[in-house]
Amino acid sequence: MTKNLVVIGSQWGDEGKGKIVDLLTERAAAVVRFQGGHNAGHTLVVEGKTTILHLIPSGILHSNVMSYIANGVVLHLPSLFSEAEELMAAGVSVWEKLRVSNACALIMPSHIALDKAREAAKGAGKIGTTCRGIGPCYEDKIARRGLRLADLQNADNFRTRAEELLNYHNFLLKNFYQAETVDVAATIDEWLSFAPKIAPIICDTTLALEEHRKRGENILYEGAQGAMLDIDHGTYPFVTSSSTASGGAATGTGTGIHKLDFVLAITKAYTTRVGSGPFPTELNNDIGEHLGRVGREIGASTGRKRRTGWIDLPALRRAALNSCFDGICITKLDVLDELATIKICTNYRLDGKIIDIAPLGADELSRCEAIYEEIDGWQSSTIGIREYEKLPEKARQYLEKLEKILEIPIVIISTGPDREETIERKVLLS
Ligand code: IMP
């Protein structure tokens, strides 16, 4: 029985997690974000209305579900407030249903300034970050000089620690990057003014989740970004700064690993990537253009055009190994509908050898050449189909080939942006 479900992206992010989390949250009592920050962009379409969430869990749209932002998340309070206000304007009672861990690391304006300054200094070698301050905030957390939400509760202590941190940031900004510094006093005052507003929703999220578990309720762990952007297992250095693999759900929430029952890997029927870094199946041609246009591949957070390519099984094998996928959810199948032929990257050629799993890190991966198997396209619409048997035969063959090669069942197929446009072959959190 699945009571604790982890939903992560299996590629380089933007696989369509928001919709699936939103759909499955209907059956959960709690949904929790465990890593990343407002660099995520989860697009939900409910009854034709589009909502984009960056920080608040996608389950917030359900009235009887508690949403949690757990310890592993980096928190930019102004973004949280503006997202909450937008949702409240649409009638969502955010303050009643959202709880935030007192251990969340705080993203300060100087983290954002440092992120931008570092990217600018790197020039062509830049990571292509979202410039949201994510990396610099995680750096300070690991270096044990970061500020946490709990620190806001003691103004004197916060002032001392924040002053030290912001002065250090300003030193780097001014002397190393020749960039603009931040106003230390004004920033501290502004952040302290947030304290009373956030206080009512601060909690020990680990204990709160345990209470749900003790009551026998379902919990959904909502990943952000994708497994190949994992800080330890992704295409380093072209990664994000958190644990996007399924293990992040345990560390980011303080949940013991044995309590997590099922890892659902959200996987696009093709591949996209934003930012820099190797991408062996990238298509810089008309087909890539077609995938980008039909799939509307524009970043939900940054508005950047996503790079596009064929599905990449060696990369998925690496992600599956790291995250132990129990099932796959295929999204955006319809984007392939019009194509006469579809390619599946089954292996790479690296330095004259054929390999079937992506090597670790960016250097080796950038030398990999994709080896493809070609199949006929189905060339008919799959949009909105709700039963597996009603999919065109060749579309089923495509899915079954992926299942067979990866040896992982495809349990959900998304056939459109709306909640209803879904085929569920296994009912999770039932
Ligand atoms: P950062 O997370 O802003 O530091 O960016 C690091 C890398 O992760 C860059 O390549 C970003 O484009 C990528 N990234 C961060 N968030 C997302 C996301 O939500 N979807 C896809 N890529 C992302």
Side-chain angles (χ1 to χ4, degrees), residues 12-14 39-41 115 127-132 134-135 225 229 239-241 274-276 304:
W12 281 281
D14 308 315
N39 50 346
D115 201 352
I127 307 288
T129 73
T130 59
C131 287
R132 300 286 201 274
I134 307 295
Q225 291 83 46
L229 287 171
V239 290
T240 191
S241 298
V274 279
S276 323
R304 287 183 293 181

Side-chain angles (χ1 to χ4, degrees), residues 59-208:
I60 195 76
L61 301 186
H62 295 268
S63 52
N64 42 11
V65 176
M66 284 303 293
S67 290
Y68 295 95
I69 296 178
N71 309 32
V73 173
V74 284
L75 194 63
H76 185 242
L77 284 171
S79 297
L80 176 70
F81 293 146
S82 64
E83 199 166 304
E85 270 151 32
E86 225 174 278
L87 286 167
M88 288 189 291
V92 181
S93 43
V94 179
W95 252 231
E96 286 76 21
K97 297 188 301 165
L98 177 68
R99 295 292 175 270
V100 184
S101 168
N102 50 6
C104 283
L106 295 178
I107 299 182
M108 304 302 289
S110 45
H111 287 131
I112 297 170
L114 279 169
D115 201 352
K116 288 180 181 159
R118 284 195 184 138
E119 285 288 273
K122 281 202 176 97
K126 68 180 182 184
I127 307 288
T129 73
T130 59
C131 287
R132 300 286 201 274
I134 307 295
C137 182
Y138 275 115
E139 271 173 52
D140 282 343
K141 167 177 163 165
I142 300 300
R144 296 167 294 188
R145 60 175 171 253
L147 301 164
R148 310 214 299 181
L149 191 51
D151 295 326
L152 275 181
Q153 283 146 34
N154 178 336
D156 289 343
N157 186 33
F158 183 80
R159 258 182 211 290
T160 312
R161 302 213 30 241
E163 209 173 279
E164 203 175 301
L165 185 72
L166 298 186
N167 282 335
Y168 166 65
H169 289 164
N170 276 348
F171 178 83
L172 290 175
L173 286 167
K174 183 165 169 237
N175 300 304
F176 195 81
Y177 294 109
Q178 284 84 49
E180 252 184 68
T181 54
V182 298
D183 184 329
V184 175
T187 304
I188 294 174
D189 285 346
E190 189 184 5
W191 253 252
L192 282 173
S193 78
F194 296 149
K197 193 166 173 185
I198 193 78
I201 65 164
I202 295 180
C203 86
D204 182 331
T205 51
T206 305
L207 295 184

Side-chain angles (χ1 to χ4, degrees), residues 236-387:
Y236 191 89
F238 302 100
V239 290
T240 191
S241 298
S242 63
S243 299
T244 56
S246 62
T251 54
T253 61
T255 303
I257 49 170
H258 295 304
K259 289 181 178 164
L260 304 174
D261 305 313
F262 195 98
V263 177
L264 179 65
I266 313 296
T267 306
K268 220 177 258 189
Y270 49 101
T271 310
T272 61
R273 171 161 207 176
V274 279
S276 323
F279 183 175
T281 64
E282 185 166 13
L283 290 165
N284 288 309
N285 60 14
D286 288 355
I287 299 175
E289 200 56 39
H290 176 87
L291 296 177
R293 186 169 29 83
V294 179
R296 288 186 292 277
E297 296 296 351
I298 307 284
S301 278
T302 56
R304 287 183 293 181
K305 220 171 153 183
R306 297 176 186 142
R307 300 154 68 193
T308 54
W310 297 117
I311 197 156
D312 182 337
L313 301 190
L316 280 167
R317 283 194 193 97
R318 167 68 64 179
L321 181 67
N322 295 146
S323 290
C324 202
F325 298 163
D326 294 295
I328 288 177
C329 163
I330 292 283
T331 60
K332 293 192 146 183
L333 184 67
D334 57 288
V335 176
L336 304 180
D337 282 355
E338 290 167 35
L339 299 177
T341 45
I342 293 169
K343 289 188 184 182
I344 299 171
C345 169
T346 54
N347 296 82
Y348 295 151
R349 187 173 290 109
L350 173 63
D351 303 334
K353 278 202 197 117
I354 308 283
I355 56 172
D356 65 3
I357 189 158
L360 199 57
D363 278 354
E364 278 195 312
L365 188 61
S366 64
R367 298 205 309 277
C368 287
E369 184 199 328
I371 299 175
Y372 294 105
E373 202 170 295
E374 221 174 87
I375 63 157
D376 289 340
W378 43 94
Q379 296 192 286
S380 61
S381 175
T382 58
I383 296 175
I385 293 180
R386 296 174 196 197
E387 286 164 54

